[in-house]
Structures are given as C-alpha cells and as structure tokens.
Amino acid sequence: MGAISRSHSVIGVVMVALMLLSCTDAHQAQTTLGATWEATIEHETVREAVGLAIVGQVLVVSDPQGGLIHRFSLDPTNRGEMMAGWSSGIERPMHMEADKNGRLFLADYLSDQILLFARDGSLVMSFGKSGSEEGRFDAPAGVAVGDDGSIYVADFNNHRVQRFDAEGRFVQRWGREGHEPGDFYYPTDVAVGPEGRVYVADAYNHRVQVFTPDGKFVTAWGRQGSGLGEFDVAIGLAVDTQGRVFVADQFNHRIQVFDRRGKWLGSWGEHGSEPGQFDRPSDITFDDAGLIYVADFGNARVQVFSVQRTAIGTRKERAAWPETQPSQSSLGRWWY
C-alpha cells in the first residue's frame, strides 16, 4: 500500500474495499458493556464528524469536508444548541484535543500543521511544515497533550509519532513504516493516559500501541478481524481518568474498551443509522459527568452514551466510578 492521497479523508481511504464488511460479531458484542444511548447531537451543516473535544461546557466537532470547526453547547439551559464555529486558517481538520487550560490543539491533515486555538477560536500558535524531516509532517491526523505540556502528533503518511514541547519545538520522533512492535502503518490518533503513557491508534496495522512518554515501546494489542479485541481500522482512541482505553473500530462500526494492559472489557455498536448504531465511528471523548461522546462519521452526528458503573473494570476499578449516572429523562434527545 502506497501513501494514501490526502485529497480524501483518512476516514474513507479503504471505504470501497470494506463496504460489504459483515457486522455479525459486532452485533453480538453490542450489549456486553452496558452502554446506554442518551442523546444525539446533529445539525444540517455538519457534513462529516471526525474529531471531538470538550472545552468547558462546549462540545467541539471537526468537519474535514467543510473545513470547519463546529461547536455545540453542553450547558443544561441550551444543551445541544449549535454555537458559532470557525474555519479561518483551517484546511482539513482531523483529530484534536483540549488541554487543561481550555486551549484546542488541532491536527490539520492537509496543511501539515498543528494549530492551537483559544476558546474564542483565535489562532494562538501553529507549527509544522510539509516533509519527512524532524518536526515536519505528511498529513498529521491526531494530536494529544501530556500533563507536562508535551505535544504528541500522529504523523500519518510518515508512519511515526513526533513529540514537541509546549512551545511547538521538536523534541523527538519514533516509529517507521512496518508491522513489528514500535513500527506504524498509517497512525491516525494518539492519546495520553493518566499514568503518562502514550497510546497510538496504529490504524492500518489494526492495533493499539503503547509507549512511555519518551517513546519506549510498552505493549500492543489487536489484529485485523471482527472478533472481540480485533479491529478493522483502529481509527481513533481516548483514555479515561481510570485508564480505560476506548477505541473507535471504524469498519466494524463499534466502540471497544480495554484496560491499560489491553485486556478486553466490552464493546457496543453495530452498523446503521438508528440511535446506538454507527457508520464508521471515528473519535471518542468524555465530559466531567462521565458521559461518552462518539463521533459518528458516516452519519454526520455525535452520539452520547452513559455506562453502568458495574459494566466494566475490576471490582476496585468499578468502585472509582461516580455514584450516579445521567439518565435518559434528565438529558432528553438533542436533535438539531
């Protein structure tokens, strides 16, 4: 497989080849986690929902086809209402992450840059140029920020992860094209866990890889398939405060959940457009109440779920879940 053309979304690069993928195993697994559909957020102006982030009480959604950043209110008084977004300086936005100060880091796949925005959408900083040298990108697809301010970038066509300091200065890189531990084959997303480890969605190796903050290989899990713990393009991921790893299993149309060591904990979803179904999910994020937001790419929407506190994890881990979970009646349906 050669370099994938950047004139098309990374989310759709193998669409034709996999359109007829069977979702039988995904359907069997959909009830194992105890995930409950709570709401749907959508708007006619959203053409593709790829990346997600939450800044305060605002849900931010990247829309590569429109070159837009959409924003939706999460305030209880107007939950789900579309707010003003922005597009200035953006070419093809992909995955993104908000830091602890509420600033938004965005991987711009087409301009080969990482963009940093303030809460109001004003550009604070950008770094990166096209190329394969240190500090340059060839279609950056994902970005994450560590507690120390380190910025990690999934450098898609260069088959590597790059690390920068808080000012965007190059620190190190690791990985090369390949299939062995520590190699990558079109990485699409990156996340930092609560223990500081770096989790990478190694999309077309159909696995998740884990590294220390300075790039030392720790472990990996996954292979191509539709069984439990297998992936058909691991396109996006997020790690919650308990260290559970949520993975968007794109062409299996489901979300899978693992512990930090790669033990399978559960999954939900199947192909479709009804509530709780997905068409190529691409990203996950969480709010402070424990709700889970999923970018439902092919359906151009975001779906919201809660998880029963007894659903996943060991007895000790389950005890750390909030005592209450939002209910369907308290949220209502967010149709726009």
Side-chain angles (χ1 to χ4, degrees):
M1 181 176 180
I4 297 172
S5 170
R6 287 158 47 200
S7 63
H8 301 284
S9 167
V10 61
I11 305 301
V13 291
V14 291
M15 185 185 305
V16 175
L18 297 175
M19 281 295 287
L20 299 180
L21 177 69
S22 169
C23 296
T24 301
D25 288 340
H27 178 76
Q28 292 172 344
Q30 68 174 335
T31 61
T32 58
L33 186 64
T36 300
W37 175 85
E38 295 284 357
T40 294
I41 304 174
E42 59 185 357
H43 191 276
E44 62 184 6
T45 60
V46 179
R47 300 168 71 182
E48 294 177 339
V50 171
L52 299 177
I54 291 179
V55 180
Q57 290 188 310
V58 177
L59 173 68
V60 186
V61 183
S62 68
D63 182 348
Q65 187 174 357
L68 297 167
I69 297 298
H70 300 287
R71 301 196 305 157
F72 295 88
S73 173
L74 299 181
D75 188 291
T77 62
N78 60 347
R79 184 179 284 130
E81 183 176 313
M82 176 168 264
M83 305 169 63
W86 67 86
S87 61
S88 178
I90 300 172
E91 293 190 42
R92 196 165 186 81
M94 300 301 289
H95 290 108
M96 53 192 172
E97 180 167 315
D99 70 6
K100 56 188 176 183
N101 297 314
R103 302 180 305 171
L104 187 70
F105 290 80
L106 172 68
D108 193 331
Y109 182 79
L110 197 58
S111 72
D112 293 321
Q113 290 186 313
I114 299 300
L115 308 176
L116 173 59
F117 295 95
R119 288 173 182 260
D120 63 359
S122 59
L123 184 64
V124 175
M125 177 180 74
S126 64
F127 61 91
K129 295 181 179 180
S130 301
S132 59
E133 297 85 359
E134 293 180 346
R136 291 175 177 254
F137 305 117
D138 190 351
V143 60
V145 184
D147 286 342
D148 65 349
S150 292
I151 304 166
Y152 299 89
V153 180
D155 192 0
F156 183 70
N157 278 332
N158 282 327
H159 308 281
R160 66 187 180 188
V161 170
Q162 296 201 70
R163 179 187 178 190
F164 300 82
D165 68 14
E167 303 301 320
R169 293 183 290 258
F170 174 81
V171 175
Q172 65 177 129
R173 64 180 182 181
W174 69 85
R176 62 181 181 180
E177 182 177 355
H179 312 287
E180 297 300 316
D183 294 344
F184 298 112
Y185 199 50
Y186 300 102
T188 50
D189 201 9
V190 59
V192 179
E195 78 292 357
R197 287 182 174 176
V198 179
Y199 297 76
V200 181
D202 190 5
Y204 294 93
N205 274 327
H206 311 283
R207 66 185 179 185
V208 173
Q209 295 204 69
V210 188
F211 301 86
T212 63
D214 58 356
K216 294 182 176 62
F217 175 80
V218 175
T219 190
W221 66 83
R223 64 181 181 181
Q224 187 170 18
S226 59
L228 304 182
E230 298 177 336
F231 303 110
D232 204 336
V233 184
I235 200 74
L237 49 72
V239 185
D240 72 7
T241 57
Q242 300 303 311
R244 289 175 283 254
V245 184
F246 290 68
V247 184
D249 186 3
Q250 186 184 21
F251 286 94
N252 283 325
H253 310 286
R254 64 185 176 186
I255 303 299
Q256 297 202 69
V257 188
F258 304 83
D259 71 12
R260 68 191 69 192
R261 295 170 295 276
K263 178 183 177 181
W264 184 86
L265 299 176
S267 65
W268 79 91
E270 61 181 346
H271 193 202
S273 58
E274 296 300 314
Q277 297 179 331
F278 301 115
D279 184 358
R280 292 158 291 158
S282 58
D283 202 9
I284 308 104
T285 194
F286 317 98
D287 68 15
D288 292 338
L291 288 173
I292 301 164
Y293 298 73
V294 178
D296 189 2
F297 167 76
N299 287 319
R301 65 187 182 183
V302 177
Q303 296 197 68
V304 188
F305 300 87
S306 61
V307 175
Q308 298 172 10
R309 63 187 296 266
T310 57
I312 57 177
T314 65
R315 182 179 300 175
K316 180 179 179 181
E317 289 172 328
R318 292 197 300 264
W321 277 77
E323 289 298 327
T324 59
Q325 290 287 346
S327 65
Q328 173 76 31
S329 60
S330 68
L331 286 170
R333 299 190 179 193
W334 309 344
W335 294 98
Y336 289 92

